[in-house]
Amino acid sequence: MQYSKPKMAELVKHSAELTKRLKEVMQEHNLEKSFALKALYHSEVKDGGRYQRDYQDL
């Protein structure tokens, strides 16, 4: 499965929990949104993550 910034942004937009988590990651690690999205992808989507099915459905 490949990382896609537009798909990840769409997934975050439709999930209040992911939106909250994105803001936390950005603030906690002082990251720009694009880097925080990629970090969320690797922690919450990739390799059987919680949101993998939703990501694939997009």
Side-chain angles (χ1 to χ4, degrees), residues 4-15 18-19 33 37 54-55 58:
S4 168
K5 184 179 176 182
K7 280 176 74 172
M8 193 61 196
E10 187 73 22
L11 181 64
V12 169
K13 187 187 305 183
H14 293 299
S15 170
L18 277 178
T19 301
K33 185 175 182 177
L37 279 172
D54 296 336
Y55 183 83
L58 288 177

Side-chain angles (χ1 to χ4, degrees), residues 10-50:
E10 187 73 22
L11 181 64
V12 169
K13 187 187 305 183
H14 293 299
S15 170
E17 186 177 330
L18 277 178
T19 301
K20 180 182 173 191
R21 182 81 177 107
L22 176 65
K23 290 178 183 179
E24 289 172 359
V25 169
M26 287 173 65
Q27 189 174 43
E28 188 176 317
H29 299 285
N30 197 26
L31 292 174
E32 294 176 15
K33 185 175 182 177
S34 61
F35 294 119
L37 279 172
K38 195 164 194 173
L40 269 184
Y41 169 78
H42 286 287
S43 67
E44 303 289 341
V45 176
K46 191 173 180 183
D47 296 332
R50 238 165 106 175

